[in-house]
Amino acid sequence: MDADQLTGPLSAAMSRRGLLRLAGAGAALAGAAQFLGPAPARAADTYDAMRGTWVGLLTGTGFDPAAAPFAAALSALGDEARTRMASMAPAASSLWPDLPIGTVSAHVTTSCGRLRSMALAYVQPGTGLTGSASLAAAVSTGLDWLATHAYTPSTSPYDNWWDWEIGAPQRLLDVCALMYARLAPEQIAAGCAAVDHFVPLSEFASYSGHSTGANRVDLCRVVALRGVIGRNGSLIGAARKALSPVFPRVLTGDGLYADGSFIQHTCVPYAGTYGTVLLGGLGRMFVLLAGTPWAVTDPEAQVFCSGVTAGWAPFVYNGLVMDGVSGRGISRGVQKSDPLQVQQDDHTRGHAVVSDILRLAASGLAPAAQSAAWKAMVKGWLRRDYYAPLLSDRSLGIPELAAAQALLNDSTVTAAPEPVEHRLFSMDRAVHRRTGWAAQISMCSARTTFYETGNGENLRGWHSGSGMLSWWGDTYGNGQYADAFWPTVDPYLLPGTTVSTRPLADAAGGQWNATRPTNTWAGGTTDGTYAALGQDVRGLQSTLTGRKSWFCLDDAIHCLGAGITCADGVSVRTTVDNRNLGPNNHQVFTVDGTVQPATLGWSRTFTGSRSMAVGGMGAWVFPEGTTVHVQRVARTGSWSTVNTSSSTTPLTRNYLSLWFDHGTDPTGASYEYQLMPGTTAAAAAARAAAPRVTVLANSAGVQAISCPSLGLTMANFFAAGTAGPVTADAPCSVLVRERNGTMTVVVSDPTRDAATVRVTLDRSGYASVSAADGVQVLTTSGQVVLLAETGGTQGAGRTVTLSASGPAAAPRTAAALGATATTYVRDGAYGDTNYGDAATMVVKNTGGTGNGYNRRSLLAFDVSGLTGTVSRAVLWLHGNVQDSGGGQTVLQAFATASAAWTETGVTWNSAPALTTALGTGPVSTRHDWVGLDVTAAVAAARASGGGTASLAVFEPLGAVGLAAVLTTRRSGARPPRLEVITA
């Protein structure tokens, strides 16, 4: 029996797990039977079970409604429903007078949301309205009004697409699930028909537009639940199938990346908001579909699960989620439309992430060990969230509160501690965690927007991607950004940033990440414990340029800036820090051992200062002594100043601001300081007197330090150059750590422009190579010379470890060969056409033959000049996918049966046959390098005495691929090259 035929009694197709789910769903529904009305006459079936599962997700299980925190939450829900019921006044143009329908689509969503709250109050125990006939009648009246006036199959959508396809239907379908037994078949049908109108299956036709990432999951949820409510298995199956494009790792655009980056809206780091929607939506879908004929079986779903720890957990600290991955959500604060008037901040967003991970752990999708690890991690967050405990969060629903309380009560789960690590992400974000504190750095580049604004949100987040350095302590500072920071902070004094003070208009730069900087150098390198981070800074609507670096150590972050230049006619600042002192202003501020006034409005410029500290927070060290501007000031603002939908209530917070003033129109300005979270004034003074860090370079070309006590040398090369013992032949980031007779070197290319980078280290005594990943050691004699294969890594590091003991590595030579011939051939009607004069070449495997759409690229290289034995050969190609059928594919190199072809003569029909299958590599719509291992073919060409290595590039045989367009030797930039290592 097909899944879409399951409309009668319990199907024999259901698994034993499905039967158990039915029993559980029946129990959930039975608990509400006294006010839901009589059960359907027929026996429970799959759809009933799934509806019961969904009701359980909405209402929660296993909690005592009379106990804290549930009693208060249920009472508040009842109060809200009572208010909504009393104020409902159906009229021609509105269901509630304050939500006129016709021009603002959000009013449709909000109207559905109010009915949802009323339905929850009807179903949930302890609300004071549980099972209320008048409340049920009001919900029914509201549904009928919407079906007639606002959300109908004949309504043309207006304003924001999201309200029609996600916001309104999700809430409407929740109401239908909750009130199912009290609704007439005509009401269910009307709701389903409206959803079909606004969310047709054509939304799933391609993974593009707004149907990607978190939005795709939301759309799948709508269609699946509409299938459950309307008893339509075909829709549930379509929704389940449409989830699959969300699971795989992406190389560009929206989605989850291999390193844990999560991007939405093409170029916005968004794990904290859209990522939460994705995480929560998938968790709910997995639970809804588990044990049914539509259970998620796509193996890529397991790949997604493994990304939870890599993509979301690094941005959660003590239960909060870091603002650097929350986009325009940081500005929401207290929404005017929120009946509870709960402030949305890093803690409330963090509680959502925590709850979503806990729900996913209970979904049964992930292996037991992984789920157990998630629970231990979540329990640690719950216990450490001293500032705004999850169980006190009034914005959370009963299910989330119940799951958290159950976990805290579970003695079999041991809370996991915060890890000590560094995580660097390709989305221009980094997180540094030490014992007792954590920091997060937000950068931007041509790949990521300055900031996102839209829908009247985040109006002044202009500089939040200009090197903002946020940090928190284990028992202090967790309210730094939660306590009305964004509406009250000076947006030109965001901590860590270098900015022009040129006045910017609200929403400057344009809606929806309209503006990105032109720089490509943003990122760095890490060994997982320490890191060198850097940014080639550009100003928003400004002439500002500069180079910034953050060297992340054990108890400090050493910050350098150089080449700071601007011609805006205004001053340029680098903000050392801007601490939110809250409303009380009691913190003690010390400069070089002297306590400063706590008077609000106080300011002073300190010359030659070496250390500053705020009691109970941390300190800043200025190793060379410098001029620092300081002010202690009260600032007043409202959430509405940064978000038009938010509260207009004035809020005042006190700030201690420290900054460098580089002057008006600076040329080549620089700075140096060290952040030491949790450090006392005395310890900061001691560090200033005995620095552990030596600055090797601080220029526009290179910024580098050494820290002998940690065995570290780190350098960011913005151009080829030398810093201390390190020389690089191209822009790159290098981390060297020496200890116990070993030297580990990590090299990355944050610009993502080089296929390989050669790094020379003025170090002797390291003989053998104990481990290498993407790094070729050319020599260890007198100095160490490395060739790092950085192409196609998306800025990730390549690592090699050398040892002072063991046999010496044999010297090797690297040769970069340009192609002597490049072209492509095409089958079918084009089988006799030559394309040897083209500036690009194409690859595509259609899986068929003779259709005219299969294309292979051919390349020839003169290898006659190579000497020695070929130990490695990589074919480097540059290009991207250009195909309406998708966004990424895999290229594969092949040896050819003959090298006897010519660039201007070869065609598909005369091309040499493919022989040995060689290396593969991914390519996406983003232009990038792809490296294909062709060692066997080049070695064979040399062994045979031939002077030419003939290679073909196609896609794996038998696999349907996408069209990829690659540069040829005729291209002006990034032509193909063959990198050969001989010994």
Side-chain angles (χ1 to χ4, degrees):
M1 181 179 291
D2 294 334
D4 60 352
Q5 295 175 307
L6 293 173
T7 57
L10 181 63
S11 168
M14 289 195 69
S15 64
R16 178 176 182 274
R17 183 178 179 186
L19 291 169
L20 293 174
R21 288 178 70 256
L22 267 179
L29 291 175
Q34 59 178 328
F35 48 86
L36 284 176
R42 54 180 170 68
D45 65 8
T46 305
Y47 300 113
D48 293 324
M50 296 177 76
R51 179 167 48 80
T53 297
W54 194 257
V55 170
L57 286 171
L58 295 174
T59 60
T61 58
F63 64 92
D64 180 357
F70 311 108
L74 291 167
S75 177
L77 177 62
D79 291 341
E80 179 188 353
R82 194 173 290 108
T83 298
R84 298 308 181 200
M85 182 169 57
S87 60
M88 182 191 290
S93 61
S94 66
L95 184 56
W96 278 275
D98 62 325
L99 298 175
I101 302 298
T103 57
V104 180
S105 59
H107 289 177
V108 180
T109 296
T110 304
S111 296
C112 293
R114 289 180 180 180
L115 292 178
R116 181 184 185 274
S117 296
M118 293 163 65
L120 277 170
Y122 175 79
V123 172
Q124 291 277 38
T127 66
L129 290 173
T130 307
S132 165
S134 58
L135 180 58
V139 174
S140 180
T141 296
L143 286 176
D144 289 342
W145 190 94
L146 288 172
T148 302
H149 299 280
Y151 200 76
T152 80
S154 61
T155 302
S156 296
Y158 50 84
D159 198 12
N160 192 333
W161 73 268
W162 181 90
D163 291 297
W164 302 102
E165 298 183 29
I166 293 175
Q170 282 191 352
R171 289 154 181 79
L172 177 66
L173 290 167
D174 284 353
V175 174
C176 291
L178 291 164
M179 304 298 293
Y180 189 82
R182 287 291 189 186
L183 299 179
E186 295 79 12
Q187 291 176 300
I188 296 293
C192 289
V195 172
D196 291 342
H197 169 63
F198 290 108
V199 195
L201 290 184
S202 59
E203 287 287 356
F204 301 149
S206 67
Y207 193 65
S208 61
H210 63 241
S211 186
T212 61
N215 287 335
R216 171 60 74 97
V217 175
D218 270 344
L219 291 167
C220 289
R221 168 178 161 179
V222 168
V223 173
L225 194 56
R226 182 264 180 261
V228 171
I229 298 300
R231 309 178 67 77
N232 186 320
S234 294
L235 292 178
I236 303 173
R240 188 274 303 269
K241 182 179 180 180
L243 284 175
S244 288
V246 176
F247 301 142
R249 300 289 188 266
V250 300
L251 296 172
T252 187
D254 292 355
L256 186 64
Y257 292 67
D259 68 352
S261 295
F262 180 82
I263 294 288
Q264 192 78 32
H265 291 176
T266 307
C267 58
V268 187
Y270 247 138
T273 44
Y274 278 94
T276 305
V277 173
L278 176 75
L279 191 62
L282 283 176
R284 289 178 175 88
M285 287 291 286
F286 293 152
V287 172
L288 175 67
L289 300 176
T292 76
W294 306 283
V296 175
T297 57
D298 188 333
E300 291 282 2
Q302 295 297 331
V303 177
F304 169 82
C305 285
S306 67
V308 172
T309 305
W312 280 270
F315 294 100
V316 178
Y317 186 74
N318 284 4
L320 63 85
V321 68
M322 300 172 183
D323 282 344
V325 291
S326 292
R328 69 185 193 279
I330 61 175
S331 70
R332 287 174 183 154
V334 179
Q335 294 281 285
K336 297 174 186 175
S337 60
D338 180 9
L340 298 178
Q341 292 293 282
V342 175
Q343 177 179 284
Q344 298 182 37
D345 54 40
D346 52 9
H347 284 269
T348 55
R349 288 188 292 274
H351 298 160
V353 174
V354 170
S355 300
D356 291 337
I357 294 176
L358 188 55
R359 183 184 298 105
L360 193 62
S363 71
L365 184 71
Q370 193 168 56
S371 293
W374 287 341
K375 290 179 181 178
M377 183 171 65
V378 168
K379 191 168 188 174
W381 291 331
L382 293 175
R383 285 190 169 176
R384 290 189 296 272
D385 192 355
Y386 75 91
Y387 178 79
L390 183 147
L391 291 177
S392 66
D393 188 340
R394 294 185 297 124
S395 70
L396 288 179
I398 295 295
E400 290 73 28
L401 296 173
Q405 185 68 75
L407 179 63
L408 288 171
N409 293 341
D410 188 348
S411 61
T412 67
V413 178
T414 301
E418 288 286 348
V420 176
E421 63 180 7
H422 186 94
R423 294 293 310 277
L424 176 59
F425 298 86
S426 61
M427 60 180 176
D428 299 339
R429 297 293 187 268
V431 177
H432 192 58
R433 293 174 181 266
R434 307 321 296 153
T435 300
W437 59 275
Q440 191 262 307
I441 297 168
S442 295
M443 300 167 279
C444 60
S445 69
R447 301 175 295 271
T448 52
T449 184
F450 282 105
Y451 77 114
E452 184 180 69
T453 183
N455 286 346
E457 297 187 307
N458 201 26
L459 299 174
R460 299 178 183 177
W462 316 300
H463 302 304
S464 52
S466 297
M468 184 169 177
L469 172 53
S470 309
W471 54 278
W472 307 261
D474 54 354
T475 59
Y476 61 90
N478 284 195
Q480 164 70 16
Y481 312 103
D483 186 18
F485 177 83
W486 293 104
T488 59
V489 71
D490 183 339
Y492 297 92
L493 282 174
L494 298 183
T497 61
T498 297
V499 306
S500 164
T501 58
R502 178 181 181 179
L504 294 173
D506 286 355
Q511 302 286 305
W512 310 115
N513 61 72
T515 307
R516 304 185 211 177
T518 58
N519 62 294
T520 57
W521 211 119
T525 193
T526 181
D527 64 355
T529 302
Y530 305 105
L533 310 174
Q535 180 180 13
D536 184 3
V537 176
R538 297 290 188 275
L540 175 64
Q541 296 183 350
S542 167
T543 61
L544 173 70
T545 61
R547 306 289 165 77
K548 295 171 68 72
S549 288
W550 302 265
F551 298 101
C552 301
L553 306 171
D554 53 351
D555 63 354
I557 298 177
H558 203 92
C559 308
L560 297 179
I564 300 168
T565 300
C566 189
D568 289 350
V570 297
S571 66
V572 173
R573 298 172 176 170
T574 293
T575 303
V576 175
D577 220 321
N578 199 1
R579 298 307 288 175
N580 182 357
L581 305 178
N584 298 319
N585 191 43
H586 64 273
Q587 296 84 351
V588 175
F589 177 57
T590 304
V591 176
D592 294 327
T594 301
V595 175
Q596 303 300 315
T599 307
L600 291 173
W602 169 84
S603 65
R604 181 175 170 184
T605 298
F606 292 89
T607 302
S609 176
R610 300 290 300 276
S611 66
M612 300 181 178
V614 177
M617 289 187 178
W620 304 267
V621 173
F622 309 97
E624 299 300 318
T626 191
T627 298
V628 183
H629 299 265
V630 182
Q631 68 178 12
R632 193 164 189 152
V633 62
R635 288 183 55 83
T636 299
S638 67
W639 282 106
S640 62
T641 61
V642 294
N643 192 308
T644 58
S645 298
S646 298
S647 170
T648 59
T649 302
L651 302 167
T652 300
R653 295 295 181 269
N654 304 310
Y655 286 87
L656 181 69
S657 309
L658 295 71
W659 72 92
F660 302 122
D661 188 341
H662 302 299
T664 299
D665 293 343
T667 300
S670 63
Y671 66 81
E672 178 189 4
Y673 69 97
Q674 192 172 93
L675 166 66
M676 301 184 69
T679 298
T680 65
R687 178 62 56 84
R692 297 171 57 196
V693 169
T694 299
V695 175
L696 302 176
N698 187 20
S699 70
V702 58
Q703 294 172 324
I705 69 164
S706 68
C707 183
S709 63
L710 297 176
L712 286 171
T713 302
M714 297 189 281
N716 289 326
F717 291 93
F718 296 95
T722 298
V726 186
T727 298
D729 73 342
C732 64
S733 183
V734 181
L735 182 152
V736 181
R737 190 175 188 200
E738 299 173 85
R739 55 179 175 169
N740 302 323
T742 65
M743 179 172 68
T744 297
V745 185
V746 189
V747 182
S748 73
D749 172 21
T751 70
R752 309 186 193 183
D753 192 53
T756 60
V757 175
R758 185 184 293 248
V759 174
T760 301
L761 302 172
D762 185 12
R763 288 288 190 267
S764 60
Y766 295 102
S768 63
V769 179
S770 57
D773 175 22
V775 178
Q776 305 300 315
V777 179
L778 302 183
T779 185
T780 59
S781 178
Q783 59 184 3
V784 176
V785 181
L786 311 172
L787 188 72
E789 298 172 356
T790 56
T793 62
Q794 301 220 329
R798 294 296 206 175
T799 304
V800 63
T801 299
L802 300 99
S803 175
S805 60
R812 298 190 292 172
T813 300
L817 307 179
T820 57
T822 55
T823 187
Y824 73 98
V825 295
R826 186 172 182 177
D827 74 344
Y830 308 91
D832 291 320
T833 303
N834 174 263
Y835 298 94
D837 60 350
T840 59
M841 53 189 180
V842 187
V843 172
K844 185 170 184 177
N845 182 1
T846 67
T849 59
N851 55 35
Y853 293 103
N854 290 298
R855 279 150 287 184
R856 298 175 185 167
S857 292
L858 295 171
L859 304 96
F861 294 88
D862 181 0
V863 296
S864 61
L866 296 176
T867 59
T869 302
V870 175
S871 61
R872 181 165 175 79
V874 177
L875 173 62
W876 289 104
L877 303 166
H878 197 274
N880 72 328
V881 169
Q882 298 182 26
D883 196 308
S884 61
Q888 59 192 64
T889 190
V890 174
L891 302 184
Q892 184 161 26
F894 294 83
T896 68
S898 169
W901 57 270
T902 64
E903 185 176 71
T904 57
V906 70
T907 66
W908 181 278
N909 292 333
S910 67
L914 306 181
T915 57
T916 307
L918 303 169
T920 63
V923 62
S924 73
T925 54
R926 174 177 287 159
H927 286 84
D928 202 354
W929 289 102
V930 57
L932 307 178
D933 187 338
V934 295
T935 306
V938 175
R942 290 295 299 129
S944 67
T948 299
S950 176
L951 303 168
V953 179
F954 198 37
E955 289 164 327
L957 299 179
V960 176
L962 302 172
V965 179
L966 309 169
T967 58
T968 69
R969 72 187 186 95
R970 299 175 184 274
S971 302
R974 304 178 186 87
R977 65 191 249 197
L978 182 66
E979 193 89 42
V980 184
I981 308 295
T982 57

